[in-house]
Amino acid sequence: MQEGFILFYCLLFIVAFLYASVGHGGASGYLALMAIFAISPAIMKPTALLLNLFVSSTSFIQFYRGGHFKWKSFWPFALASIPLSFVGGMMVIESSIYKKILGLLLLIPVIRFFFFKNTDPKDFKPSNIPLSLAIGGIIGLLSGMIGIGGGIILSPILLLLKWTDQKQTAAISAAFIFVNSVAGLGGQLIKGFEFNNHMLTYVGVAFVGGLCGAYFGALKFPQTVLKNVLACVLALAAYKLLFTHA
């Protein structure tokens, strides 16, 4: 049992490091780990959102200091996502359905990490406010429902639409994750949930990992190997959630 906790914390540090290095809060990674270690969905959702607050904020600060944040691209997504993330946070989803939705969402970063390694656009296009509002609203609702910040969904969309480059995407995603996590936790608090005794330790480990990852990711660190490792972890978790009853 003790060895299992040590392994969990080591993987948690790696997940926080990697996700912060690309501007994400890491909720999908945290949820993947908790699914692999058979932690209850009732604990998974608020824990992941809480961890997101600390990791995404440190990541955003580093990318903001690097001059990568674009307010004009960010605000329409946030405007639509915040209220719907709050609504999603109040929703109670049956455990088996929750696991299936989470399993599908985990496939998004797997596909991105494995198959879209160099995604910086060469020709940028201006962002579209109505489309941004629609995308932000949909992602916000999913974020609150499942307990993610939404960065794993927003990031590939920004890059595919050619609205931002990799660093700008990371900065916007970090801010987006933070505001969605606050809203989602607000919805959770309205419904009522109990803080798990291990949450403080989770936060401490993820915060240190996120701080290190944000520093190296914003300034100088190539993440290809760790991305592949994390993609394998997420793929394993997605398989467990979609095809097993554990």
Side-chain angles (χ1 to χ4, degrees):
M1 181 66 70
Q2 186 67 27
E3 290 77 7
F5 274 116
I6 293 173
L7 177 60
F8 176 81
Y9 289 133
C10 289
L11 291 173
L12 180 62
F13 178 90
I14 293 172
V15 168
F17 182 99
L18 173 60
Y19 269 76
S21 73
V22 293
H24 290 179
S28 60
Y30 309 143
L31 290 169
L33 286 180
M34 287 187 274
I36 291 172
F37 283 80
I39 295 173
S40 166
I43 296 173
M44 289 167 63
K45 184 174 173 179
T47 300
L49 288 171
L50 184 64
L51 290 168
N52 259 356
L53 295 181
F54 290 88
V55 179
S56 63
S57 60
T58 57
S59 181
F60 172 74
I61 289 169
Q62 294 293 345
F63 282 99
Y64 182 83
R65 288 174 58 192
H68 303 296
F69 182 65
K70 290 182 65 178
W71 170 257
K72 288 183 178 180
S73 297
F74 167 74
W75 74 261
F77 292 113
L79 182 65
S81 70
I82 290 172
L84 287 174
S85 183
F86 180 84
V87 171
M90 292 192 293
M91 298 174 67
V92 178
I93 305 174
E94 200 274 323
S95 178
S96 61
I97 297 175
Y98 174 90
K99 289 181 178 180
K100 300 306 179 188
I101 296 174
L102 175 59
L104 290 172
L105 290 178
L106 290 181
L107 294 176
I108 296 174
V110 171
I111 293 170
R112 183 187 173 194
F113 289 157
F114 275 142
F115 302 109
F116 296 93
K117 297 177 187 282
N118 300 308
T119 50
D120 268 347
K122 299 192 186 314
D123 300 314
F124 290 100
K125 297 179 180 179
S127 58
N128 180 295
I129 291 179
L131 181 57
S132 297
L133 290 168
I135 292 170
I138 294 169
I139 297 176
L141 184 62
L142 281 172
S143 298
M145 287 171 56
I146 304 302
I148 60 175
I152 59 168
I153 307 173
L154 180 62
S155 292
I157 290 175
L158 284 172
L159 293 168
L160 288 172
L161 291 174
K162 299 183 178 182
W163 289 352
T164 54
D165 63 24
Q166 197 86 350
K167 297 288 187 181
Q168 292 167 346
T169 297
I172 291 169
S173 295
F176 185 77
I177 289 164
F178 182 84
V179 297
N180 276 339
S181 297
V182 170
L185 269 177
Q188 286 275 292
L189 288 168
I190 293 294
K191 291 295 294 184
F193 73 90
E194 295 182 5
F195 281 95
N196 184 273
N197 291 332
H198 297 292
M199 281 187 179
L200 187 59
T201 307
Y202 294 167
V203 169
V205 173
F207 181 74
V208 174
L211 193 62
C212 295
Y215 172 76
F216 285 105
L219 301 179
K220 51 187 167 186
F221 193 71
Q223 315 103 356
T224 303
V225 175
L226 282 178
K227 278 185 178 181
N228 290 336
V229 171
L230 180 59
C232 291
V233 173
L234 296 178
L236 174 62
Y239 174 81
K240 180 174 180 177
L241 289 164
L242 291 170
F243 301 109
T244 73
H245 299 288

